[in-house]
Amino acid sequence: MKLLGISGTIIGSKTAIVTEKILEDIAKMDPSMETEHLNLKEFDIQFCDGRDTGDYNEDTKKIINLISNADLYIIVTPIFHGTYSGVLKNLFDLISPQVMKNKVIGFTAVGGNYKHYLMVENQLKPIAGYFGAHVAPSYVFVHNEDFKNNYIANQDILDQITDFSRDIINMKKLLQ
């Protein structure tokens, strides 16, 4: 089984730090799980405009291929103005709904405002429904204050990440 962790932004480092931590926890809990980190910051992704996927640049085609070949997903996004990032919206638009059908998706968000912690429930989970994916029952909201020197310093958040990682593994086992 291949788990793809997607850092859904092209700026900053906190989203990637959270993605790496989740992938690390899952790899420790289930060494048979193949994990890969897709950091959107490292790619030149074109805007979705309805053309055939083969007509996009090489980076965009590579990302579509990585997502298409994964069995489950961890999607981590920053929260901008109460919603997920534009680059993540563009990524969703590039992917055929069939790609994620009956696969597990777990969501995590990073934000600087506690007022937006329900964005996962109100915006991301419905997208997973559109894709026909199975959504992890838990998610993690990481506040900017939970970081210190580019590490997650809040033990409560680290515990939530462990529980979230366990949920992903358990869902994978249920769907096998």
Side-chain angles (χ1 to χ4, degrees):
M1 284 264 168
K2 182 173 183 175
L3 169 66
L4 185 63
I6 301 171
S7 294
T9 187
I10 56 173
I11 63 166
S13 60
K14 291 180 176 110
T15 303
I17 291 167
V18 172
T19 306
E20 284 292 330
K21 176 60 178 150
I22 294 167
L23 292 174
E24 177 185 305
D25 276 11
I26 289 173
K28 284 180 187 173
M29 290 179 202
D30 185 352
S32 70
M33 180 85 70
E34 179 187 347
T35 62
E36 185 170 355
H37 184 180
L38 171 57
N39 189 343
L40 297 181
K41 187 180 195 178
E42 298 171 357
F43 294 87
D44 176 26
I45 306 166
Q46 289 183 292
F47 282 110
C48 178
D49 58 13
R51 71 183 110 159
D52 184 81
T53 56
D55 293 335
Y56 286 100
N57 68 18
E58 290 305 312
D59 276 359
T60 305
K61 288 190 281 192
K62 182 176 181 178
I63 288 171
I64 293 169
N65 189 48
L66 283 170
I67 293 169
S68 298
N69 291 318
D71 300 302
L72 14 97
Y73 311 91
I74 301 298
I75 299 175
V76 184
T77 182
I79 299 175
F80 298 129
H81 301 290
T83 192
Y84 54 96
S85 70
V87 70
L88 185 57
K89 168 65 169 117
N90 186 58
L91 182 71
F92 289 143
D93 289 344
L94 288 164
I95 304 302
S96 164
Q98 294 303 104
V99 166
M100 294 182 169
K101 188 171 180 70
N102 295 319
K103 295 180 182 179
V104 173
I105 299 178
F107 294 109
T108 296
V110 178
N113 185 331
Y114 286 111
K115 294 178 182 178
H116 302 304
Y117 75 97
L118 286 175
M119 183 275 301
V120 173
E121 290 287 344
N122 297 326
Q123 295 178 30
L124 291 175
K125 285 186 176 184
I127 290 169
Y130 170 76
F131 281 113
H134 302 283
V135 182
S138 65
Y139 64 91
V140 182
F141 173 80
V142 186
H143 193 279
N144 288 341
E145 294 174 356
D146 295 323
F147 292 89
K148 184 175 184 178
N149 299 324
N150 286 326
Y151 292 98
I152 302 168
N154 183 329
Q155 186 59 48
D156 198 38
I157 295 299
L158 292 169
D159 292 343
Q160 288 177 42
I161 287 172
T162 298
D163 291 342
F164 173 78
S165 299
R166 193 173 294 111
D167 283 349
I168 298 298
I169 291 168
N170 289 335
M171 286 188 72
K172 176 202 87 153
K173 289 177 184 176
L174 288 172
L175 295 172
Q176 280 182 323

